């Protein structure tokens, strides 16, 4: 594999490797088996300032870019852990930072940076509209100095482990001639204040250890001061966050890909069957080599997307393509790793079956593969919109 000393951002990687080494595979395995939130791990990351990487120094963070943040999450996954427990904070705070008022930034960002508050959740998906985001029905109606929210969301992650949540809701029907995204608004919701006062939460048992919930809004009151950006223009406010999210998830998949390839290579060199290491067979080594090539290629697109995002340039195409390539490469690497291990790949103590489940998610969330094809077909290639 690439000499690790040659990789970009060696200081961040070294610090992350030291922190992750304090949480051995047994820890993450136990969290998965018990379906527990890795509270100790997230606390250690917060305490070391890693989750405040993208918060500017002026607000108490370290003021790094998406590239550095992506290396942090890559290293988490590369260590055998799963960034799903904490990645939300990295991209959700971008909505606040880039579109919130100075008063909102001052109110929240320093406390997020210090770890006093967590902004781990973003509520977009709804049960009846799914991928068709701009058709969402959760409504926020202005009444004096408050908005009253009614509706439902589904698959909203980390709600029970976060203090704050970014909420996308409809505040008006699209104006005549406007796009469907017109009339959507973004709010910052104080989860602790809202639970039991108009917001109820039901966790969804699922294939991976990611706490994800159904949310029910019944006359939830959100202060008007919590509106981020202009009313009706919220979709634009979350777009930056979505591009950051896709790029960061690409980095996590790349971390997974290297983890799978590392494991497969080691086992293929050690496991002797028919009096020779299984890795001596081309039928075993070629799929590992192919998976490695694909992870390396995805990595280039990931850093291209990061560079554009950090330069405040349009990066929708690159963020989507990085996410597509990396999720595909990590899934192929997962499959190869499992196959290389034969029956032992299925044994929980090898961690492969856990990582296999975890990396599979990224072909579906936060954006499914077909939606990436649709984006590239329409926005990059100029083909007709297909839906
Ligand atoms: C573990 C987990 C965590 C999640 N966390 C969050 C979160 O924190 N916040 C949040 O807002 N959401 C979250 N999601 C939701 C996730 O973003 C959605 O599941 C995803 O965007 C797909 O939407 P859907 O499940 O409604 O699928 P659907 O929209 O019902 O689509 C089903 C399938 O049909 C395909 N499809 C649909 N329409 C078309 C079309 N026109 N052309 C081609 N193919 C099409 C899709 O690609 C998909 O494969 C999470 C999901 C999971 C599983």
């Amino acid at each position: 594999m690439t000499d690790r000393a040659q990789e970009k951002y060696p200081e961040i990687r070294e610090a992350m490797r030291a922190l992750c080494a304090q949480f051995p595979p047994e820890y993450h395995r136990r969290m998965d088996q018990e379906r527990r939130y890795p509270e100790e791990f997230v606390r250690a990351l917060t305490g070391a300032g890693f989750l405040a990487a993208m918060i500017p120094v002026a607000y108490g963070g370290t003021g790094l870019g998406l590239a550095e943040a992506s290396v942090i999450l890559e290293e988490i996954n590369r260590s055998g852990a799963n960034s799903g427990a904490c990645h939300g904070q990295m991209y959700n705070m971008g909505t606040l930072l880039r579109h919130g008022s100075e008063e909102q930034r001052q109110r929240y960002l320093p406390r997020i940076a210090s770890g006093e508050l967590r902004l781990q959740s973003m509520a977009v998906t709804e049960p009846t509209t799914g991928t068709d985001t701009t058709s969402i029905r959760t409504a926020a109606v202005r009444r004096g100095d408050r908005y009253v929210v009614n509706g439902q969301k589904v698959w909203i992650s980390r709600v029970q482990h976060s203090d704050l949540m970014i909420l996308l809701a409809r505040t008006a029907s699209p104006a005549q001639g406007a796009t469907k995204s017109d009339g959507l608004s973004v709010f910052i919701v104080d989860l602790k204040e809202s639970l039991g006062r108009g917001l109820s939460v039901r966790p969804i048992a699922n294939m991976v250890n990611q706490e994800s919930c159904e949310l029910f809004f019944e006359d939830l009151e959100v202060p008007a001061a919590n509106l981020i950006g202009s009313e009706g223009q919220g979709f634009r406010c979350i777009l930056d966050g979505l591009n950051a999210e896709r790029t960061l998830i690409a980095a996590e998949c790349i971390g997974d890909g290297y983890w799978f390839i590392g494991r497969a290579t080691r086992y293929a060199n050690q496991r002797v069957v028919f009096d020779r290491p299984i890795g001596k067979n081309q039928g075993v080594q070629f799929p590992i080599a192919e998976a490695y090539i694909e992870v390396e290629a995805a990595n280039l697109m990931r850093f291209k997307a990061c560079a554009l995002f950090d330069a405040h340039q349009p990066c929708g195409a690159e963020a989507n393509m990085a996410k597509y390539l990396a999720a595909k490469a990590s899934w192929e690497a997962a499959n190869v790793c499992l196959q290389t291990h034969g029956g032992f790949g299925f044994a929980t103590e090898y961690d492969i079956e856990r990582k296999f489940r975890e990396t599979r998610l990224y072909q579906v969330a936060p954006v499914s593969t077909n939606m990436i094809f649709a984006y590239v077909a329409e926005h990059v290639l100029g083909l007709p919109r297909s839906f």
Side-chain angles (χ1 to χ4, degrees):
M1 279 223 267
T2 315
D3 182 356
R4 295 214 68 180
Q6 313 253 309
E7 289 175 319
K8 291 180 176 175
Y9 307 103
E11 295 87 4
I12 295 177
R13 290 181 189 278
E14 204 176 307
M16 281 302 298
R17 285 202 291 275
L19 187 148
C20 291
Q22 296 167 31
F23 295 86
E26 296 76 27
Y27 172 81
H28 299 292
R29 206 177 301 145
R30 200 174 70 244
M31 295 299 111
D32 181 62
Q33 284 166 351
E34 296 173 4
R35 287 294 193 261
R36 257 184 60 202
Y37 186 75
E39 183 64 41
E40 305 79 4
F41 183 55
V42 175
R43 267 204 204 143
L45 288 164
T46 311
F50 287 117
L51 298 186
M54 292 179 75
I55 298 180
V57 174
Y59 301 102
T62 24
L64 300 172
L66 187 66
E68 290 91 340
S70 79
V71 168
I72 291 169
L73 298 185
E74 178 198 329
E75 287 295 331
I76 291 177
N77 281 42
R78 203 166 171 166
S79 79
N82 179 11
S83 299
C86 60
H87 56 195
Q89 190 132 309
M90 296 273 199
Y91 48 79
N92 290 335
M93 75 88 209
T95 304
L96 189 56
L97 179 65
R98 289 194 173 186
H99 302 280
S101 64
E102 184 52 28
E103 195 277 320
Q104 288 171 330
R105 288 196 286 256
Q106 293 286 359
R107 186 167 4 136
Y108 295 115
L109 289 177
R111 293 163 72 203
I112 295 171
S114 72
E116 185 189 334
L117 291 178
R118 285 185 186 163
L119 172 55
Q120 288 283 10
S121 298
M122 173 162 69
V124 174
T125 308
E126 298 193 0
T128 55
T129 48
T131 298
D132 187 5
T133 305
T134 53
S135 297
I136 60 164
R137 295 176 189 171
T138 295
V141 177
R142 177 98 191 222
R143 297 228 180 94
D145 64 349
R146 328 230 114 208
Y147 283 86
V148 179
V149 182
N150 280 285
Q152 197 179 335
K153 297 278 176 187
V154 72
W155 291 116
I156 309 310
S157 300
R158 299 167 296 277
V159 174
Q160 296 177 109
H161 303 282
S162 187
D163 299 285
L164 303 167
M165 176 179 80
I166 301 284
L167 169 71
L168 185 71
R170 188 158 278 293
T171 41
S173 308
Q176 193 141 30
T179 61
K180 270 169 74 187
S181 61
D182 192 53
L184 296 176
S185 301
V186 171
F187 300 89
I188 186 149
V189 173
D190 184 325
L191 285 166
K192 299 275 148 62
E193 292 252 306
S194 307
L195 281 168
R197 296 194 191 98
L199 173 64
S200 52
V201 166
R202 191 159 68 204
I204 306 169
N206 67 80
M207 178 173 157
V208 287
N209 182 27
Q210 183 154 323
E211 181 251 39
S212 207
C213 298
E214 280 183 279
L215 306 186
F216 302 89
F217 300 90
E218 283 177 70
D219 292 331
L220 172 72
E221 295 193 356
V222 177
N226 288 21
L227 173 75
I228 297 180
S230 311
E231 187 182 285
Q233 302 301 308
F235 196 65
R236 273 179 217 125
C237 300
I238 62 161
L239 275 183
D240 281 341
L242 295 182
N243 287 331
E245 180 183 37
R246 282 161 204 190
T247 309
L248 290 169
I249 292 211
E252 292 172 33
C253 289
I254 285 159
D256 281 343
Y258 285 130
W259 185 90
F260 286 120
I261 290 160
R263 285 303 189 89
T265 308
R266 195 171 77 195
Y267 193 76
N269 273 320
Q270 288 170 352
R271 172 75 169 164
V272 175
V273 181
F274 296 113
D275 297 326
R276 57 192 191 155
I278 57 169
K280 205 167 177 187
N281 302 299
Q282 290 182 339
V284 173
Q285 63 175 238
F286 282 10
I288 305 175
E290 187 180 14
Y292 176 68
I293 293 166
E294 305 230 346
V295 173
E296 287 281 292
N299 204 15
L300 297 177
M301 186 63 80
R302 160 267 188 107
F303 277 116
K304 184 174 181 192
C306 287
L308 289 168
F309 184 93
D310 287 335
H312 293 254
Q313 299 286 317
C315 65
E318 289 75 12
N320 273 291
M321 292 191 290
K323 152 67 173 65
Y324 165 76
L325 290 168
K328 182 163 172 272
S330 72
W331 175 237
E332 282 169 8
N335 222 3
V336 165
C337 186
L338 190 74
Q339 195 69 16
T340 305
H341 281 75
F344 289 108
F346 292 82
T348 309
E349 68 179 290
Y350 279 69
D351 298 309
I352 294 161
E353 60 82 30
R354 171 175 62 82
K355 296 279 285 177
F356 183 93
R357 285 183 277 118
E358 288 168 357
T359 217
R360 180 61 180 85
L361 173 65
Y362 297 124
Q363 309 251 343
V364 171
V367 58
S368 63
T369 303
N370 277 356
M371 291 301 111
I372 295 179
F373 291 151
Y375 180 93
V376 172
E378 182 186 345
H379 297 283
V380 180
L381 303 177
L383 289 163
R385 188 175 171 81
S386 61
F387 50 85

